[in-house]
Amino acid sequence: MKPSKPIILFIPAKLVQELNTFLESDKPNFNYDVVYFYYIVHYILEQQLKNRNKLESQKDQFISINIKNLKSITVCNIRDYIKIMENGEFIISDNHYIPGEKSKGYIINPIYLKGSDKIEVKTDTKLFSRIMKNQYRKKAHFNRLEPYLKQMKNEFMKVEFDYISAENWIQQEPNEEKRISYTIALNQLKDKRFRYFNRNSTNHRLDTNLTNLKKEIKQFIIGDYVNIDLKNSQPFFLGIMLNSIIKQISIQQGSLCCYLDYSNLIKTFGIKRIKSVSKIHQINKKTFLVNLKSFTDSVINGTFYDDFIKTYTNGITRDEVKDIMFEVLFSQNEISENFRKFIPYEKEKKVFASVYPYIYEAVKLLKSKDHTLLPVFLQKIESYVFIDCIAKELVSAGIVPLTVHDSVIVKAEDQDRTIEIINRIFLEIFDVMPTLDIKLLHK
């Protein structure tokens, strides 16, 4: 039997140094093992990495700690460890706790996010055994995967990286917080015990170590691969969805995409909101329908960000437009705090509304009950198209892809056949040809 190797945790060096000094000068009133302090830090950093694609306001950066789960991996008095780190200001809490709904959230104190130390969790320790047991439990669902997903999982587990070149690239990153995050992500790919492959129960996305990996690190995958990406995917699916609402499309039996069926849209968002979206343009029908057509044409042609910059003449960058679109889709319409109400990202939303007033009003309506409904719904459509349709068809054709939400990574030799399959599926589902961005992984 192949001997087990220690688990490596990457912890900010300054935190390790200051924490050890703190524990020597102010010893806890119980027998402690310093490795559990390190594991709490690792846990928070790991969860932040996995949540990287979520909208991050100052509040949203805080990571809720599942105490029950953390106890099962560490020790029964792990709350005492957390309290000490909180008292020493090594971690900062949002102090927001709702019984039965929300745990307190934590971030690592930014002043300690400097440098990186390797901490070994030795194979003969209780922590090692419990971490590995937790990993095996997470992977128990693999046997229940559909056959094509099993093939994709097996392909993903075989992928190798040029780790030395990737590590050298990471060391050139000037932002120390990002450098730590990238190092943890790469280490979890290198140690295949910590590769994960899961369908998200909320948005049905396929989450793997690749989905939150910095795109520049993907270039170090060994082999000739191309990344085929749907341009401006979230605006694309939003445009398709709004057109379905306006036209009150009912899906014929046997059609590929049930998500956009008018009855399903009503079930998801409520009949009042769906009818309101349909009726907005009646106030100024011609203007709003032109606005919708302009938006739809841009997203289908893959020119949404460039067209936005041309229309908004006050000066704006492509990255700023991407951020604005993200904020419009994902943030709350309004927040009540300290007996006052305010609109998050109000300035950015006004910019978007000045270019696409109908789209903005429609999005507001669809988020009025629960601001998470719309982005999750769009992600479900994306997942259905890319995982349940495109990936399944590719595997059937002998092409086993790696997927990153709205894109597929395939061997360069399979590029043309992959594009043909993607185009055909988009025509079958949406009756439009997608605009794709095709890039070699290796620069």
Side-chain angles (χ1 to χ4, degrees):
M1 177 183 266
K2 188 176 180 180
S4 296
K5 59 181 179 180
I7 296 168
I8 304 298
L9 308 179
F10 285 88
I11 309 297
K14 183 173 176 60
L15 190 148
V16 171
Q17 179 185 353
E18 296 293 336
L19 176 62
N20 289 337
T21 302
F22 177 81
L23 293 173
E24 287 174 10
S25 62
D26 191 4
K27 287 187 181 295
N29 58 2
F30 60 91
N31 291 327
Y32 69 91
D33 186 338
V34 71
V35 74
Y36 292 121
F37 288 111
Y38 299 147
Y39 188 78
I40 292 167
V41 175
H42 166 81
Y43 178 93
I44 294 172
L45 292 174
E46 181 186 44
Q47 294 305 310
Q48 283 183 328
L49 175 66
K50 289 182 177 180
N51 293 331
R52 190 171 64 86
N53 283 342
K54 293 184 178 179
L55 185 65
E56 291 187 354
S57 66
Q58 186 60 37
K59 277 187 174 182
D60 295 324
Q61 292 177 6
F62 288 90
I63 296 299
S64 293
I65 292 180
N66 184 327
I67 295 295
K68 183 178 179 181
N69 177 251
L70 198 58
K71 277 184 181 180
S72 70
I73 299 172
T74 56
V75 284
C76 61
N77 67 330
I78 196 65
R79 285 184 188 275
D80 295 333
Y81 286 82
I82 293 171
K83 192 65 180 176
I84 287 170
M85 296 195 74
E86 193 175 351
N87 290 341
E89 297 185 351
F90 296 101
I91 61 176
I92 300 170
S93 170
D94 61 0
N95 290 315
H96 185 45
Y97 170 69
I98 304 173
E101 288 187 36
K102 183 192 176 300
S103 306
K104 286 172 68 174
Y106 295 91
I107 58 170
I108 308 300
N109 190 328
I111 68 172
Y112 296 117
L113 292 172
K114 298 183 185 301
S116 181
D117 273 359
K118 284 184 180 182
I119 304 296
E120 274 196 3
V121 179
K122 299 186 182 299
T123 59
D124 59 353
T125 62
K126 185 180 290 186
L127 180 59
F128 176 91
S129 299
R130 289 185 170 185
I131 291 173
M132 294 313 303
K133 183 178 180 180
N134 186 57
Q135 289 302 113
Y136 295 141
R137 181 185 57 78
K138 287 180 181 178
K139 294 179 179 181
H141 73 283
F142 283 169
N143 291 331
R144 299 193 296 271
L145 291 173
E146 292 185 55
Y148 80 97
L149 288 173
K150 281 186 181 179
Q151 287 185 253
M152 290 172 62
K153 185 267 295 182
N154 292 337
E155 184 70 18
F156 168 63
M157 294 302 292
K158 290 189 293 185
V159 167
E160 293 294 350
F161 284 72
D162 179 351
Y163 294 107
I164 294 175
S165 296
E167 287 165 4
N168 289 338
W169 182 89
I170 289 171
Q171 292 310 309
Q172 305 307 310
E173 168 58 54
N175 184 304
E176 295 204 61
E177 185 174 350
K178 289 181 179 179
R179 199 157 64 232
I180 293 169
S181 177
Y182 300 161
T183 299
I184 293 170
L186 187 65
N187 182 62
Q188 291 187 331
L189 279 162
K190 190 174 184 178
D191 188 342
K192 292 185 180 180
R193 296 174 297 181
F194 294 93
R195 291 193 184 187
Y196 57 91
F197 185 96
N198 307 310
R199 284 302 288 269
N200 188 301
S201 60
T202 301
N203 56 26
H204 303 168
R205 279 179 158 181
L206 180 60
D207 294 328
T208 72
N209 303 73
L210 289 180
T211 52
N212 287 318
L213 187 68
K214 180 75 172 172
K215 65 180 181 180
E216 285 82 0
I217 301 178
K218 295 186 182 84
Q219 68 180 302
F220 299 107
I221 294 177
I222 294 174
D224 292 324
Y225 287 90
V226 291
N227 187 85
I228 303 174
D229 180 38
L230 174 65
K231 283 195 171 184
N232 44 240
S233 64
Q234 292 299 303
F236 174 91
F237 292 121
L238 176 63
I240 294 291
M241 175 185 166
L242 291 177
N243 273 284
S244 297
I245 292 173
I246 295 299
K247 296 173 183 177
Q248 298 189 16
I249 293 173
S250 291
I251 301 297
Q252 299 299 316
Q253 189 174 7
S255 178
L256 282 175
C257 191
C258 61
Y259 283 106
L260 294 176
D261 181 79
Y262 193 68
S263 61
N264 187 58
L265 290 166
I266 289 173
K267 182 180 177 182
T268 303
F269 297 99
I271 189 167
K272 181 180 177 181
R273 291 172 189 83
I274 292 298
K275 286 191 172 181
S276 295
V277 170
S278 298
K279 290 178 180 177
I280 293 176
H281 67 272
Q282 292 179 4
I283 301 169
N284 195 337
K285 188 172 182 180
K286 185 177 178 181
T287 301
F288 277 143
L289 285 182
V290 168
N291 191 244
L292 175 59
K293 185 178 187 306
S294 171
F295 180 81
T296 305
D297 288 346
S298 281
V299 297
I300 290 174
N301 294 330
T303 57
F304 168 71
Y305 299 111
D306 296 322
D307 292 342
F308 195 105
I309 291 169
K310 290 176 186 175
T311 307
Y312 184 74
T313 56
N314 291 343
I316 196 169
T317 68
R318 187 182 179 86
D319 285 342
E320 285 172 337
V321 178
K322 286 184 177 181
D323 289 342
I324 287 171
M325 186 75 244
F326 195 71
E327 289 149 3
V328 166
L329 282 177
F330 283 80
S331 69
Q332 297 180 55
N333 289 343
E334 192 175 73
I335 294 177
S336 297
E337 194 173 86
N338 297 327
F339 304 103
R340 71 184 184 93
K341 293 182 178 180
F342 66 94
I343 299 172
Y345 305 104
E346 184 174 11
K347 180 181 176 182
E348 291 82 356
K349 288 175 180 177
K350 284 181 178 177
V351 171
F352 185 87
S354 71
V355 179
Y356 292 114
Y358 171 68
I359 309 301
Y360 178 68
E361 291 300 325
V363 166
K364 263 179 63 179
L365 272 170
L366 293 170
K367 294 196 304 174
S368 59
K369 180 182 179 183
D370 179 347
H371 75 284
T372 65
L373 271 183
L374 177 60
V376 168
F377 189 79
L378 295 176
Q379 289 166 351
K380 284 181 178 179
I381 299 173
E382 168 209 90
S383 304
Y384 174 78
V385 173
F386 276 89
I387 305 302
D388 298 305
C389 297
I390 292 172
K392 189 174 185 177
E393 185 73 15
L394 287 172
V395 172
S396 180
I399 303 167
V400 185
L402 305 170
T403 60
V404 183
H405 300 325
D406 58 0
S407 67
V408 295
I409 297 172
V410 297
K411 292 176 181 176
E413 63 195 53
D414 296 322
Q415 174 180 316
D416 292 344
R417 179 70 176 128
T418 299
I419 293 171
E420 179 188 325
I421 288 171
I422 292 173
N423 286 339
R424 174 167 55 78
I425 287 174
F426 268 81
L427 281 170
E428 289 175 354
I429 298 177
F430 304 117
D431 198 28
V432 297
M433 189 79 80
T435 302
L436 304 173
D437 189 21
I438 303 158
K439 290 179 181 175
L440 286 168
L441 280 193
H442 299 290
K443 296 181 179 178

